[in-house]
Amino acid sequence: MSSVKDFFLNVRSWMSELVDGNLENLPTVRWKAVAGRFDKLLQLLSHATAESSTEPARTVVVQAMTVLQELLPVITKEKFVQDPNDPISFHQCRSKLLDLWALMLRVLDLHFALLANPSRRASPLLQSHELNAFYNSLRALMIRSEFDVSHLLLDSNGMAKCTKEDVQIAVRYRRLLVHTQILVQETTQMPGLPVQTLQFQCAVIATSFFRLPEIAKQVLTSIQLSTSEHASIAEHLPGDHLPIYEDDLSFQNSPQRSSFDISPLSSSSSSSSSSSSSSS
């Protein structure tokens, strides 16, 4: 991916994978069977990014990676059982997965901050294979069916329903996807990014296309789909299985951004603008 053309070809590839991929026929797992390991992982990641921590962040990250590697098959290749007789466990499951997403973004923020500091370039927080595990996990979290609002809005009879917890999850999901998009924008200016980071950026843009409708038009314009590709993807907007986010779901609490600059070669002024917008 040495050019803008290659970058957006990879975005197109990820979009096609999201359209063609079947996220439903996955093996299932009960949350209670893995909850303890997730709690341990969350504890370690929180400790690694805590300013008050007396233990080196790198040391804690190494410990966290051991747990993450154990949970990677669950995160990427299994879905959690939605038991109507145990809605509390399902809500806890979704909340913890979003907690994991948020903490992983914090670790990545710290990792890229260290890389941006010339005096610390020799000691990155995440090694290459650890970055792969982080990116694989985040890609899976972004598209998990537990966050697909269109599923949650229908009961077994096809009647609309939506609990307060569902709305809370939908709002948190959207906020995290927006912040992930911001991270992508802010790291595009960094020189010498590894291939896995560029691939992750492509995956985020492709996912945002489907789940952040306000940037869909910009993505379509940038990647220059053929007529047949456009028609194929358009069938899924809106689709039967893709979440549609409306203003009446209290998304006014999402980070306010007037635009999303998705170009991998955006100007430095755009990047600094993104930073100030996200902090405001």
Side-chain angles (χ1 to χ4, degrees):
M1 281 190 292
S2 58
S3 67
V4 175
K5 179 179 179 181
D6 291 336
F7 184 90
F8 285 117
L9 282 175
N10 276 271
V11 174
R12 291 167 63 172
S13 175
W14 278 106
M15 289 172 65
S16 298
E17 182 173 322
L18 288 173
V19 168
D20 298 333
N22 191 338
L23 303 178
E24 293 303 306
N25 296 327
L26 296 175
T28 59
V29 61
R30 292 192 175 275
W31 173 248
K32 292 181 179 179
V34 295
R37 282 182 288 169
F38 271 95
D39 285 339
K40 179 64 174 178
L41 178 58
L42 294 175
Q43 180 185 21
L44 289 169
L45 292 177
S46 179
H47 187 37
T49 57
E51 294 183 1
S52 59
S53 177
T54 58
E55 194 170 4
R58 174 61 192 162
T59 301
V60 183
V61 165
V62 171
Q63 299 173 25
M65 287 305 305
T66 300
V67 185
L68 178 60
Q69 291 292 353
E70 294 176 358
L71 289 172
L72 203 55
V74 177
I75 297 171
T76 60
K77 298 179 181 179
E78 298 179 358
K79 68 176 182 178
F80 290 98
V81 175
Q82 184 176 2
D83 186 350
N85 297 318
D86 189 14
I88 295 179
S89 288
F90 187 64
H91 180 62
Q92 289 177 342
C93 158
R94 293 183 293 170
S95 296
K96 296 289 186 179
L97 290 175
L98 292 176
D99 288 343
L100 175 60
W101 185 348
L103 285 170
M104 295 184 85
L105 285 182
R106 285 170 57 183
V107 173
L108 285 176
D109 275 336
L110 182 55
H111 171 76
F112 286 118
L114 291 173
L115 289 182
N117 185 339
S119 65
R120 300 295 299 274
R121 279 180 181 258
S123 56
L125 184 59
L126 296 168
Q127 302 298 321
S128 178
H129 68 284
E130 295 167 339
L131 267 178
N132 281 334
F134 261 62
Y135 291 151
N136 288 339
S137 298
L138 286 169
R139 282 195 294 259
L141 288 170
M142 286 188 296
I143 63 173
R144 287 194 69 93
S145 61
E146 289 89 355
F147 307 127
D148 191 332
V149 177
S150 63
H151 281 287
L152 303 175
L153 293 179
L154 299 177
D155 61 19
S156 59
N157 297 317
M159 301 298 291
K161 69 169 185 177
C162 187
T163 67
K164 177 182 178 181
E165 289 76 16
D166 291 339
V167 174
Q168 291 173 344
I169 292 297
V171 171
R172 286 193 65 199
Y173 172 87
R174 178 183 171 88
R175 288 177 63 84
L176 282 168
L177 188 53
V178 168
H179 281 295
T180 307
Q181 178 73 32
I182 292 171
L183 176 67
V184 165
Q185 290 176 221
E186 293 177 343
T187 57
T188 53
Q189 296 300 306
M190 298 185 66
L193 289 174
V195 172
Q196 65 259 52
T197 296
L198 297 174
Q199 290 175 339
F200 175 69
Q201 292 172 343
C202 294
V204 172
I205 292 173
T207 305
S208 297
F209 170 81
F210 290 107
R211 300 200 173 188
L212 293 177
E214 60 265 37
I215 75 165
K217 184 176 181 180
Q218 293 187 53
V219 175
L220 285 177
T221 301
S222 299
I223 63 177
Q224 300 178 339
L225 293 173
S226 67
T227 302
S228 60
E229 288 172 329
H230 190 289
S232 175
I233 290 177
E235 294 176 0
H236 297 268
L237 292 173
D240 293 331
H241 64 283
L242 293 172
I244 304 301
Y245 298 117
E246 303 292 349
D247 291 338
D248 60 359
L249 288 182
S250 302
F251 289 149
Q252 61 267 29
N253 293 324
S254 296
Q256 297 300 307
R257 302 180 61 80
S258 59
S259 65
F260 288 85
D261 183 359
I262 61 172
S263 170
L265 299 179
S266 58
S267 66
S268 57
S269 60
S270 296
S271 179
S272 60
S273 173
S274 297
S275 299
S276 60
S277 297
S278 62
S279 60
S280 59

